[in-house]
Amino acid sequence: MELALGLLVLVAAVCAVSAVGRKLNVSVPLLLVLAGVAGSFLPFVPPVDLNPELVLVGLLPPLLYAAALRTSLFDFRSNKRAISLLSVGYVIFGTLAVGFVVWWLFPEIPLAAAIALGAVVAPPDAVATTAIARKVGMPRRIVTILEGESLVNDATALVCLRAAITALAGTVSAAGIAGGFLLAAGGGLVAGLAAAYVLTELRKRIRNVAINTSTSLMAPFVAYLPAEAIHASGVLAVVVAGLVMGTKAPSMPNGAARLSQRSNWNTVQFLLENSVFLLIGLQVRTIIEGVQDDSLGAGRIWAGCAVILLAVLLLRPVWVFPATYLPRLIPAVRRDDPAPPWQVAAIVSWAGMRGVVTLAAVLVLPAGLEHRPVLILAAMVVVAGTLTLQGFSLPALVRLTRLQGPDQREDALNQASLMQLATTAGVQRLQELRTDNDPPEVVAMLKRRTQERGLAAWERLGRPTAEASTPSQRYAQLRLAMLDAERAKVLELRRGGQYAHEVLSEVLDRLDVEESMLDITLEELDSPGEGGGEGIARPGGVCGHLESAADQEVPREPFCADCRREGTTPVHLRMCLACGTVGCCDSSPGTHASRHFAAAGHPVMRSIEPGEDWRWCYEDDLLG
């Protein structure tokens, strides 16, 4: 009964605090931590003991799997050098450096135990980092690097921790540590690939949505448990399985199962990751009380914990800046991947929040270890300090460095272009499959509905301030009203008892599916663009600049000269139709197309990306 009540209170608190945070536009993870800290000192809140096995086996695999499902394997590959230097190189560097700092502060603590603490506090938390990174609107490449790092670094840290704990027993060797790393990495990779293959083949053959979704929910444990059984890295196995299955999911059959998987994993991720932050705060009182009788003395302990926190904050930029720029001294590396501006390294250096894995891992230390409560407190101070100092100041740092996050208008434009290409492919396939026996009205209806979906994507680019709704918006509004009337009629007939429950449920389910699709359409069409709702006008707007702009010959190998000079990487290329200057889009670090308009006053540029021929007027905010 107490367990059920505790779970109910935990979920209710997570939902309530999350709702308040979203309403006030405050970081939900940080608000949950503060709520947990406050709750830990309330007299009617019982002490919450964080079971390390519950976190490392019960919470960490599904959290990492959910994050890996949403991570692009292609983006992961394209940033593998930066991710590897952070998730492996920085973790080993941080483990040893923090370990020696702890040993210097507290000589009474064995060196192996100090290095174990270094392994505990070395990896930034996957949940904390990505939750804050996405909220503050960082450039996508930074988010990809931080996500990739936080997915893999736990595996490196846990291997280092395992080696340090073994050293406490006096049975460690350099060859043993190297062999442990190879087994952890190789075994985790093989176990993850094997789990992904088996589950993918299995889910291809399961048509039942409930069974298919349940199989998906089993995936992190199917990868984790066999890997741990052979003493490999279960964390790495989960990440590999998640990356592979997330990449393969869109091409798998059964769209209903894909929608169900996405919805269920969103719910699981919401509950678990937010419960994690609340649990972090609830540990504070118990951990503080645990060091009050330690022989090292309260003053010395707290001062040492503050120095350890400072070391954690300083060691990350000490590693990140050289790791960012030294590899680019090699000409081949610099040619393929020019050095980013210093602001990128600064953001990556400061986005190092620690989380619940740090607290769970430190509790794995042997119970009889001398001064163990001091090590637990140090881990708690690092978690609380990084979440507070870095979490609250990171948005301000992003604004101060003036790094451009994803441009919503650019994203909407690319989505419309992609949808247009997909629509064209669908119509071509229709022409290939149609026969003389097909009813003309059916073919016409299919073609019209497909083209209307493509037009709806372009309508999303329209000015939100326009007085009239776009056709797709009006269609969705009217159809939703019709669905309300249809549902009311079905419910009225249900009360009369004239139809079987199964028949009524089937009709209501069909209405719900259509309503959910319309809700998504309205959310997309109503979502404001960047800059306070300033959108892009849909095709067909009246603009003299677009009508009078002459075509320019597109260079055979176009490039943004300003990007090359500044050493930045463009996302998409545009060309001025007045002078032929090639610039990068607003999602690029340099935003040179917009800067060219501001400097030269030439209003019209066109896309020179393959398959795109649209024009854009900066003067009138019109697409043509």
Side-chain angles (χ1 to χ4, degrees):
M1 187 66 179
E2 291 182 0
L3 178 61
L5 180 60
L7 289 175
L8 176 62
V9 172
L10 182 68
V11 173
V14 164
C15 294
V17 175
S18 300
V20 171
R22 293 168 187 261
K23 185 72 173 178
L24 301 178
N25 198 26
V26 177
S27 174
V28 172
L30 300 179
L31 197 60
L32 283 164
V33 171
L34 295 178
V37 172
S40 69
F41 287 96
L42 294 176
F44 55 84
V45 176
V48 178
D49 294 325
L50 192 64
N51 188 322
E53 186 173 358
L54 171 65
V55 175
L56 297 178
V57 180
L59 297 182
L60 186 59
L63 277 174
L64 289 176
Y65 183 80
L69 279 177
R70 299 174 57 184
T71 301
S72 167
L73 181 59
F74 305 104
D75 291 342
F76 192 94
R77 286 174 179 169
S78 62
N79 293 281
K80 59 181 180 295
R81 183 185 67 253
I83 292 172
S84 299
L85 286 171
L86 288 171
S87 61
V88 179
Y90 167 68
V91 170
I92 295 175
F93 168 74
T95 296
L96 296 175
V98 173
F100 280 105
V101 169
V102 174
W103 192 44
W104 170 68
L105 290 169
F106 304 114
E108 299 87 347
I109 296 177
L111 177 59
I115 291 178
L117 178 63
V120 164
V121 302
D125 181 66
V127 177
T129 302
T130 55
I132 296 176
R134 290 188 180 278
K135 180 176 178 58
V136 300
M138 294 183 190
R140 282 203 175 94
R141 188 178 185 189
I142 295 181
V143 176
T144 298
I145 291 173
L146 293 176
E147 282 182 338
E149 176 200 5
S150 58
L151 286 174
V152 180
N153 60 9
D154 287 331
T156 308
L158 292 176
V159 172
C160 292
L161 176 62
R162 187 181 302 169
I165 292 176
T166 305
L168 284 170
T171 58
V172 73
S173 64
I177 294 176
F181 267 103
L182 290 176
L183 176 60
L189 179 63
V190 171
L193 290 174
Y197 174 79
V198 171
L199 291 170
T200 300
E201 292 300 315
L202 187 63
R203 293 186 63 201
K204 284 180 180 178
R205 293 162 173 78
I206 297 176
R207 304 301 302 176
N208 183 277
V209 174
I211 299 176
N212 198 306
T213 304
S214 300
T215 306
S216 171
L217 295 176
M218 292 165 49
F221 303 103
V222 171
Y224 182 88
L225 295 176
E228 289 293 318
I230 62 173
H231 303 290
S233 173
V235 170
L236 184 60
V238 169
V239 170
V240 171
L243 287 172
V244 173
M245 295 192 70
T247 303
K248 289 182 173 294
S251 60
M252 291 177 63
N254 201 337
R258 292 196 298 271
L259 289 174
S260 176
Q261 171 189 275
R262 191 178 303 119
S263 175
N264 280 279
W265 271 114
N266 285 341
T267 303
V268 169
Q269 186 175 17
F270 167 79
L271 287 175
L272 290 186
E273 72 179 17
N274 288 297
S275 298
V276 157
F277 290 115
L278 191 61
L279 287 172
I280 290 174
L282 289 171
Q283 302 303 301
V284 171
R285 180 181 177 183
T286 302
I287 293 174
I288 291 176
E289 292 176 348
V291 300
Q292 290 183 357
D293 298 328
D294 196 278
S295 61
L296 293 177
R300 185 181 172 197
I301 290 173
W302 283 104
C305 290
V307 174
I308 294 171
L309 171 61
L310 181 63
V312 169
L313 294 175
L314 293 179
L315 286 170
R316 186 166 172 89
V318 167
W319 175 268
V320 168
F321 275 89
T324 300
Y325 295 107
L326 288 181
R328 289 175 171 87
L329 295 178
I330 303 173
V333 175
R334 185 172 61 251
R335 183 173 56 253
D336 294 338
D337 186 14
W342 66 267
Q343 293 94 330
V344 171
I347 294 297
V348 173
S349 297
W350 198 242
M353 290 73 72
R354 273 61 174 181
V356 74
V357 175
T358 293
L359 283 183
V362 77
L363 295 176
V364 175
L365 293 175
L369 180 64
E370 191 176 4
H371 306 296
R372 181 174 180 267
V374 176
L375 299 177
I376 296 176
L377 177 64
M380 179 73 243
V381 169
V382 169
V383 171
T386 54
L387 281 174
T388 303
L389 296 175
Q390 295 180 323
F392 278 114
S393 60
L394 189 59
L397 181 61
V398 172
R399 289 192 297 268
L400 184 65
T401 55
R402 298 182 179 179
L403 282 176
Q404 295 289 332
D407 183 4
Q408 294 183 19
R409 295 180 302 174
E410 184 76 19
D411 287 349
L413 186 58
N414 290 331
Q415 180 184 353
S417 298
L418 181 61
M419 185 62 74
Q420 181 177 344
L421 293 173
T423 298
T424 301
V427 172
Q428 289 176 349
R429 184 60 174 162
L430 174 64
Q431 297 300 330
E432 294 171 2
L433 294 176
R434 64 174 300 181
T435 65
D436 294 337
N437 296 326
D438 291 329
E441 62 273 15
V442 172
V443 176
M445 181 177 63
L446 285 169
K447 187 174 182 180
R448 185 183 71 251
R449 287 187 176 180
T450 303
Q451 291 174 338
E452 285 175 353
R453 187 183 60 188
L455 290 174
W458 285 108
E459 290 167 5
R460 186 185 174 194
L461 305 174
R463 300 176 189 265
T465 55
E467 293 182 3
S469 299
T470 64
S472 293
Q473 283 177 311
R474 189 59 181 156
Y475 171 86
Q477 292 165 356
L478 293 174
R479 184 58 188 144
L480 282 173
M482 293 171 64
L483 287 172
D484 286 340
E486 293 172 19
R487 184 177 293 103
K489 184 63 177 179
V490 174
L491 294 177
E492 177 187 337
L493 295 173
R494 183 180 66 176
R495 288 190 293 270
Q498 301 174 16
Y499 297 92
H501 174 74
E502 291 79 4
V503 175
L504 291 164
S505 297
E506 180 68 22
V507 173
L508 290 172
D509 286 345
R510 291 177 181 273
L511 296 179
D512 288 342
V513 169
E514 185 175 357
E515 182 179 344
S516 67
M517 296 173 64
L518 292 171
D519 286 339
I520 294 174
T521 300
L522 279 179
E523 287 177 6
E524 290 181 348
L525 291 170
D526 292 339
S527 60
E530 190 181 30
E534 187 176 328
I536 303 176
R538 60 184 179 273
V542 179
C543 174
H545 303 109
L546 290 172
E547 292 178 353
S548 61
D551 284 329
Q552 291 275 351
E553 184 178 354
V554 178
R556 177 171 296 180
E557 296 182 359
F559 62 91
C560 178
D562 291 325
C563 281
R564 286 195 176 180
R565 184 175 63 255
E566 298 174 6
T568 57
T569 303
V571 176
H572 289 93
L573 294 178
R574 314 286 183 248
M575 186 179 71
C576 177
L577 293 185
C579 63
T581 298
V582 175
C584 57
C585 67
D586 285 351
S587 291
S588 305
T591 64
H592 293 119
S594 295
R595 288 164 63 179
H596 173 73
F597 164 68
H602 299 161
V604 180
M605 298 195 83
R606 61 153 293 185
S607 170
I608 53 175
E609 292 295 320
E612 297 182 3
D613 58 0
W614 51 264
R615 299 178 176 189
W616 167 247
C617 177
Y618 284 95
E619 189 76 34
D620 298 318
D621 277 354
L622 283 175
L623 189 73

